[in-house]
Amino acid sequence: MAKVCELCGKGPIVVNSVIRRGKARAAGGVGRKTTGISKTRQLPNLQPVRIRKEGAVLRLRVCTKCLKSAHTL
């Protein structure tokens, strides 16, 4: 599958992108107002990796969290 870690299964998530205007109360304004909320996708940080397994070379797309934890080795 595209944009999914082949080890842990981490994939895209949907989050709200909040647009605000105005000056914060702490900075002397009347407060920040929400002017728009739209849904956006956050994708995992996938990196192509070559792994040797039983003499064969596998090419996987792995998230950086799995790479850092040496889950692949």
Side-chain angles (χ1 to χ4, degrees):
M1 282 193 291
K3 298 184 172 82
V4 174
C5 177
E6 295 181 11
L7 292 179
C8 66
K10 181 188 288 187
I13 61 172
V14 177
V15 295
N16 284 331
S17 174
V18 181
I19 307 299
R20 292 185 175 97
R21 73 171 187 200
K23 192 173 184 181
R25 282 185 154 181
V30 294
R32 309 262 295 161
K33 311 294 192 293
T34 300
T35 60
I37 300 175
S38 60
K39 293 193 173 195
T40 60
R41 291 176 71 200
Q42 288 184 348
L43 303 176
N45 187 3
L46 298 178
Q47 303 296 323
V49 176
R50 291 182 188 174
I51 301 172
R52 284 185 187 249
K53 192 169 191 180
E54 300 167 5
V57 176
L58 297 175
R59 294 178 69 195
L60 301 175
R61 294 179 71 189
V62 179
C63 69
T64 52
K65 190 169 185 180
C66 289
L67 260 176
K68 190 173 181 182
S69 66
H71 192 272
T72 59
L73 302 176

